Amino acid sequence: LGGEVYHYHSKLMMKDARTGGAHLWHQDYGYWVNNGCAFPRMGTMFLAVDRMDAENGGLRVIKGSHEMGLVQHGVGGAQAEVDPTRLAYAKRLLETVQLELAPGDAVFFHSLLLHASDQNKSDRRRWAILVAYNRVDNDPLIDHHHPRYTPLARAADDAILRAPLVDASGKDFMNP
């Protein structure tokens, strides 16, 4: 992403067996631009908790589509979907890849990458952890539901060993 990044937000995506809706073709920045992030200097890490393939609604991406820039999104219901004409261009010119991931595999992708996933029609669940990153110099310009950049102070390697083992109520963690 070309600079220092911070944790923008994260979520657990849960597509249980034979449930969970499809996610339409979109770019993550198609949402985040509305959160006041002026530039697409953002990305996502997608970590498979379960095996992921086409049958259980696994992620599809259009390789190289991040180079198309921000594609206009229309909103239908709770989802944003990219302009169908530009999507057709992307599918004609670029390769669509069905990702197959084992538990623990991770994919990192740019916020402008076109991606989608189908409904889980299998007897297997498909869970994933998504962690989004934003560049420090791209802090949102408006208040919204994701946090702004907060610098973290480095701690010594042994700081955890020096931390108190008693919580605010006086409970000792070593003697529950």
Side-chain angles (χ1 to χ4, degrees), residues 47-62:
L47 175 68
V49 174
D50 302 306
R51 178 161 299 286
M52 182 184 81
D53 52 40
E55 186 183 1
N56 67 350
L59 192 66
R60 289 175 291 143
V61 301
I62 300 180

PDB file of all heavy atoms in Angstrom, residues 47-62:
ATOM      1  N   LEU A  47      -8.587 -14.422   5.645  1.00  0.00           N
ATOM      2  CA  LEU A  47      -8.021 -15.629   6.247  1.00  0.00           C
ATOM      3  C   LEU A  47      -9.094 -16.702   6.313  1.00  0.00           C
ATOM      4  O   LEU A  47     -10.119 -16.525   6.982  1.00  0.00           O
ATOM      5  CB  LEU A  47      -7.500 -15.321   7.655  1.00  0.00           C
ATOM      6  CG  LEU A  47      -6.990 -16.497   8.480  1.00  0.00           C
ATOM      7  CD1 LEU A  47      -5.713 -17.065   7.878  1.00  0.00           C
ATOM      8  CD2 LEU A  47      -6.755 -16.064   9.911  1.00  0.00           C
ATOM      9  N   ALA A  48      -8.872 -17.809   5.635  1.00  0.00           N
ATOM     10  CA  ALA A  48      -9.832 -18.912   5.636  1.00  0.00           C
ATOM     11  C   ALA A  48      -9.782 -19.643   6.983  1.00  0.00           C
ATOM     12  O   ALA A  48      -8.721 -20.093   7.406  1.00  0.00           O
ATOM     13  CB  ALA A  48      -9.519 -19.886   4.508  1.00  0.00           C
ATOM     14  N   VAL A  49     -10.927 -19.751   7.636  1.00  0.00           N
ATOM     15  CA  VAL A  49     -11.047 -20.558   8.854  1.00  0.00           C
ATOM     16  C   VAL A  49     -11.369 -21.995   8.452  1.00  0.00           C
ATOM     17  O   VAL A  49     -10.893 -22.949   9.059  1.00  0.00           O
ATOM     18  CB  VAL A  49     -12.140 -19.989   9.791  1.00  0.00           C
ATOM     19  CG1 VAL A  49     -12.392 -20.886  10.982  1.00  0.00           C
ATOM     20  CG2 VAL A  49     -11.761 -18.577  10.244  1.00  0.00           C
ATOM     21  N   ASP A  50     -12.182 -22.146   7.417  1.00  0.00           N
ATOM     22  CA  ASP A  50     -12.572 -23.452   6.882  1.00  0.00           C
ATOM     23  C   ASP A  50     -12.095 -23.561   5.440  1.00  0.00           C
ATOM     24  O   ASP A  50     -11.758 -22.558   4.815  1.00  0.00           O
ATOM     25  CB  ASP A  50     -14.108 -23.587   6.891  1.00  0.00           C
ATOM     26  CG  ASP A  50     -14.704 -23.432   8.273  1.00  0.00           C
ATOM     27  OD1 ASP A  50     -14.275 -24.150   9.188  1.00  0.00           O
ATOM     28  OD2 ASP A  50     -15.593 -22.576   8.433  1.00  0.00           O
ATOM     29  N   ARG A  51     -12.121 -24.781   4.919  1.00  0.00           N
ATOM     30  CA  ARG A  51     -11.811 -24.979   3.506  1.00  0.00           C
ATOM     31  C   ARG A  51     -12.789 -24.142   2.679  1.00  0.00           C
ATOM     32  O   ARG A  51     -13.972 -24.077   2.996  1.00  0.00           O
ATOM     33  CB  ARG A  51     -11.913 -26.452   3.128  1.00  0.00           C
ATOM     34  CG  ARG A  51     -11.653 -26.703   1.657  1.00  0.00           C
ATOM     35  CD  ARG A  51     -11.302 -28.134   1.349  1.00  0.00           C
ATOM     36  NE  ARG A  51     -10.089 -28.583   2.018  1.00  0.00           N
ATOM     37  CZ  ARG A  51      -8.844 -28.242   1.689  1.00  0.00           C
ATOM     38  NH1 ARG A  51      -8.639 -27.405   0.690  1.00  0.00           N
ATOM     39  NH2 ARG A  51      -7.802 -28.712   2.346  1.00  0.00           N
ATOM     40  N   MET A  52     -12.266 -23.490   1.646  1.00  0.00           N
ATOM     41  CA  MET A  52     -13.082 -22.604   0.833  1.00  0.00           C
ATOM     42  C   MET A  52     -12.932 -22.971  -0.644  1.00  0.00           C
ATOM     43  O   MET A  52     -11.814 -23.118  -1.146  1.00  0.00           O
ATOM     44  CB  MET A  52     -12.651 -21.146   1.035  1.00  0.00           C
ATOM     45  CG  MET A  52     -13.484 -20.146   0.271  1.00  0.00           C
ATOM     46  SD  MET A  52     -12.875 -18.459   0.442  1.00  0.00           S
ATOM     47  CE  MET A  52     -11.541 -18.460  -0.755  1.00  0.00           C
ATOM     48  N   ASP A  53     -14.068 -23.144  -1.318  1.00  0.00           N
ATOM     49  CA  ASP A  53     -14.078 -23.447  -2.744  1.00  0.00           C
ATOM     50  C   ASP A  53     -15.389 -22.938  -3.338  1.00  0.00           C
ATOM     51  O   ASP A  53     -16.195 -22.310  -2.644  1.00  0.00           O
ATOM     52  CB  ASP A  53     -13.888 -24.953  -2.987  1.00  0.00           C
ATOM     53  CG  ASP A  53     -14.858 -25.806  -2.191  1.00  0.00           C
ATOM     54  OD1 ASP A  53     -16.049 -25.436  -2.075  1.00  0.00           O
ATOM     55  OD2 ASP A  53     -14.433 -26.858  -1.672  1.00  0.00           O
ATOM     56  N   ALA A  54     -15.613 -23.213  -4.602  1.00  0.00           N
ATOM     57  CA  ALA A  54     -16.818 -22.710  -5.280  1.00  0.00           C
ATOM     58  C   ALA A  54     -18.086 -23.273  -4.653  1.00  0.00           C
ATOM     59  O   ALA A  54     -19.092 -22.570  -4.522  1.00  0.00           O
ATOM     60  CB  ALA A  54     -16.760 -23.063  -6.767  1.00  0.00           C
ATOM     61  N   GLU A  55     -18.044 -24.527  -4.250  1.00  0.00           N
ATOM     62  CA  GLU A  55     -19.247 -25.178  -3.727  1.00  0.00           C
ATOM     63  C   GLU A  55     -19.778 -24.520  -2.456  1.00  0.00           C
ATOM     64  O   GLU A  55     -20.987 -24.421  -2.261  1.00  0.00           O
ATOM     65  CB  GLU A  55     -18.957 -26.664  -3.466  1.00  0.00           C
ATOM     66  CG  GLU A  55     -20.177 -27.450  -3.057  1.00  0.00           C
ATOM     67  CD  GLU A  55     -19.874 -28.902  -2.734  1.00  0.00           C
ATOM     68  OE1 GLU A  55     -18.700 -29.319  -2.804  1.00  0.00           O
ATOM     69  OE2 GLU A  55     -20.832 -29.619  -2.393  1.00  0.00           O
ATOM     70  N   ASN A  56     -18.875 -24.046  -1.593  1.00  0.00           N
ATOM     71  CA  ASN A  56     -19.354 -23.438  -0.342  1.00  0.00           C
ATOM     72  C   ASN A  56     -19.281 -21.905  -0.362  1.00  0.00           C
ATOM     73  O   ASN A  56     -19.156 -21.263   0.659  1.00  0.00           O
ATOM     74  CB  ASN A  56     -18.655 -24.039   0.885  1.00  0.00           C
ATOM     75  CG  ASN A  56     -17.179 -23.717   0.989  1.00  0.00           C
ATOM     76  OD1 ASN A  56     -16.573 -23.185   0.069  1.00  0.00           O
ATOM     77  ND2 ASN A  56     -16.588 -24.062   2.120  1.00  0.00           N
ATOM     78  N   GLY A  57     -19.409 -21.343  -1.540  1.00  0.00           N
ATOM     79  CA  GLY A  57     -19.511 -19.883  -1.655  1.00  0.00           C
ATOM     80  C   GLY A  57     -18.195 -19.168  -1.497  1.00  0.00           C
ATOM     81  O   GLY A  57     -18.139 -18.068  -0.954  1.00  0.00           O
ATOM     82  N   GLY A  58     -17.119 -19.776  -1.992  1.00  0.00           N
ATOM     83  CA  GLY A  58     -15.792 -19.193  -1.863  1.00  0.00           C
ATOM     84  C   GLY A  58     -15.599 -17.930  -2.689  1.00  0.00           C
ATOM     85  O   GLY A  58     -16.371 -17.620  -3.607  1.00  0.00           O
ATOM     86  N   LEU A  59     -14.559 -17.215  -2.363  1.00  0.00           N
ATOM     87  CA  LEU A  59     -14.258 -15.920  -2.968  1.00  0.00           C
ATOM     88  C   LEU A  59     -13.801 -16.067  -4.415  1.00  0.00           C
ATOM     89  O   LEU A  59     -12.985 -16.934  -4.734  1.00  0.00           O
ATOM     90  CB  LEU A  59     -13.157 -15.244  -2.135  1.00  0.00           C
ATOM     91  CG  LEU A  59     -12.865 -13.789  -2.374  1.00  0.00           C
ATOM     92  CD1 LEU A  59     -14.066 -12.933  -1.974  1.00  0.00           C
ATOM     93  CD2 LEU A  59     -11.644 -13.365  -1.554  1.00  0.00           C
ATOM     94  N   ARG A  60     -14.342 -15.205  -5.280  1.00  0.00           N
ATOM     95  CA  ARG A  60     -13.895 -15.073  -6.662  1.00  0.00           C
ATOM     96  C   ARG A  60     -13.317 -13.674  -6.828  1.00  0.00           C
ATOM     97  O   ARG A  60     -13.855 -12.709  -6.273  1.00  0.00           O
ATOM     98  CB  ARG A  60     -15.051 -15.259  -7.643  1.00  0.00           C
ATOM     99  CG  ARG A  60     -15.535 -16.690  -7.732  1.00  0.00           C
ATOM    100  CD  ARG A  60     -16.752 -16.819  -8.630  1.00  0.00           C
ATOM    101  NE  ARG A  60     -17.883 -16.177  -7.959  1.00  0.00           N
ATOM    102  CZ  ARG A  60     -18.825 -15.485  -8.586  1.00  0.00           C
ATOM    103  NH1 ARG A  60     -18.799 -15.315  -9.886  1.00  0.00           N
ATOM    104  NH2 ARG A  60     -19.821 -14.944  -7.906  1.00  0.00           N
ATOM    105  N   VAL A  61     -12.249 -13.568  -7.586  1.00  0.00           N
ATOM    106  CA  VAL A  61     -11.618 -12.272  -7.835  1.00  0.00           C
ATOM    107  C   VAL A  61     -11.366 -12.119  -9.329  1.00  0.00           C
ATOM    108  O   VAL A  61     -11.256 -13.106 -10.052  1.00  0.00           O
ATOM    109  CB  VAL A  61     -10.282 -12.114  -7.059  1.00  0.00           C
ATOM    110  CG1 VAL A  61     -10.494 -12.255  -5.560  1.00  0.00           C
ATOM    111  CG2 VAL A  61      -9.231 -13.102  -7.539  1.00  0.00           C
ATOM    112  N   ILE A  62     -11.302 -10.874  -9.766  1.00  0.00           N
ATOM    113  CA  ILE A  62     -10.914 -10.587 -11.148  1.00  0.00           C
ATOM    114  C   ILE A  62      -9.500 -10.034 -11.092  1.00  0.00           C
ATOM    115  O   ILE A  62      -9.259  -8.914 -10.639  1.00  0.00           O
ATOM    116  CB  ILE A  62     -11.892  -9.619 -11.834  1.00  0.00           C
ATOM    117  CG1 ILE A  62     -13.306 -10.230 -11.855  1.00  0.00           C
ATOM    118  CG2 ILE A  62     -11.404  -9.313 -13.251  1.00  0.00           C
ATOM    119  CD1 ILE A  62     -14.358  -9.367 -12.513  1.00  0.00           C
TER     120      ILE A  62
END
